[in-house]
């Protein structure tokens, strides 16, 4: 279905291990992860994917600052101190 082998393995593993990181999450399917990844990054096209799953450079969506850039119209404040996207404000 056009999914690179390494990314397919990552989707399967991610769906199987999601409750390790988010204990209350139930029913995550690899197809959901693959669908999001296809829209956000075309399955990490143009990025380096290490054997352990690290992706370089990191993949982030548009900055949710309310500017309208990338279809964004609502400001969403940061909740993780910039841990995942290096943006402690949005």
């Amino acid at each position: 279905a056009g999914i690179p082998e390494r990314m397919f393995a990552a989707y399967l593993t991610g769906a199987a291990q999601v409750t390790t990181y988010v204990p209350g999450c139930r029913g995550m399917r690899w197809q959901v992860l693959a669908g999001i990844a296809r829209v956000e990054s075309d399955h990490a096209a143009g990025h380096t994917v290490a054997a352990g799953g690290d992706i370089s450079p990191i993949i982030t969506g548009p900055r949710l600052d309310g500017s309208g850039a990338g279809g964004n119209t609502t400001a969403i404040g940061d909740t993780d101190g910039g841990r995942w996207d290096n943006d402690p404000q949005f």
Side-chain angles (χ1 to χ4, degrees):
I3 301 174
E5 185 176 328
R6 184 170 283 172
M7 295 306 294
F8 180 63
Y11 304 145
L12 291 173
T13 301
Q17 294 181 356
V18 71
T19 56
T20 301
Y21 301 97
V22 185
C25 183
R26 299 286 185 258
M28 175 56 70
R29 296 173 42 200
W30 74 265
Q31 295 92 335
V32 173
L33 295 176
I36 293 168
R38 170 65 173 92
V39 169
E40 290 293 325
S41 70
D42 193 18
H43 303 299
H47 292 73
T48 301
V49 183
D54 291 329
I55 298 175
S56 179
I58 64 169
I59 298 169
T60 60
R63 188 169 195 248
L64 301 177
D65 62 3
S67 69
N72 170 31
T73 58
T74 303
I76 306 293
D78 181 71
T79 60
D80 65 2
R83 178 179 178 195
W84 297 109
D85 61 4
N86 296 315
D87 185 346
Q89 188 174 6
F90 295 101

